[in-house]
Amino acid sequence: QVQLAESGGGLVQTGDSLRLSCAVSGRSFSEFAMGWFRQAPGKEREFAILLNWSDGRTSYADSVKGRFTMSGDSAKNTVYLQMNSLKPEDTAVYYCGAGYSVLDPSWGNYHYWGQGTQVTVSS
């Protein structure tokens, strides 16, 4: 059974950095197309960043380009989201998703989700 568990969220100030982790169990994260998504209050879940493990291609939402990066540690079977220069509009619950459609920005096409981790950026 595949399980994802996000961690690392918290309350930070504008301009700070934060690294989120997504621990994957049951299968190797490299078997999946994975991405980080976020959902702000009253808004639909949206993709932030997607990564194709096989060739390193990355897809960024315009709002995070140049500030967010995604990586993985196969030894720990964990995926990371490094967030720099955080802004109040980055405030949301962040989720990692795993599926089979590479670089797919549609959250509905992902099969596995964690419980999410809250990121709050104060101004």
Side-chain angles (χ1 to χ4, degrees), residues 51-100:
L51 177 60
N52 181 15
W53 304 115
S54 63
D55 62 11
R57 284 183 299 151
T58 308
S59 180
Y60 301 90
D62 288 343
S63 57
V64 308
K65 198 172 297 183
R67 301 187 298 121
F68 288 15
T69 57
M70 180 175 173
S71 62
D73 183 338
S74 57
K76 297 181 179 180
N77 208 26
T78 298
V79 177
Y80 301 101
L81 175 64
Q82 178 67 44
M83 305 184 293
N84 299 327
S85 302
L86 282 162
K87 305 175 182 180
E89 50 264 44
D90 295 319
T91 294
V93 178
Y94 283 72
Y95 300 89
C96 61
Y100 303 99

Side-chain angles (χ1 to χ4, degrees), residues 37-40 43-47 93 95 105 107 113-114:
F37 292 74
R38 63 187 185 180
Q39 188 166 15
K43 295 188 176 181
E44 188 173 353
R45 191 172 299 189
E46 63 178 10
F47 96 97
V93 178
Y95 300 89
W107 66 267
W113 294 96

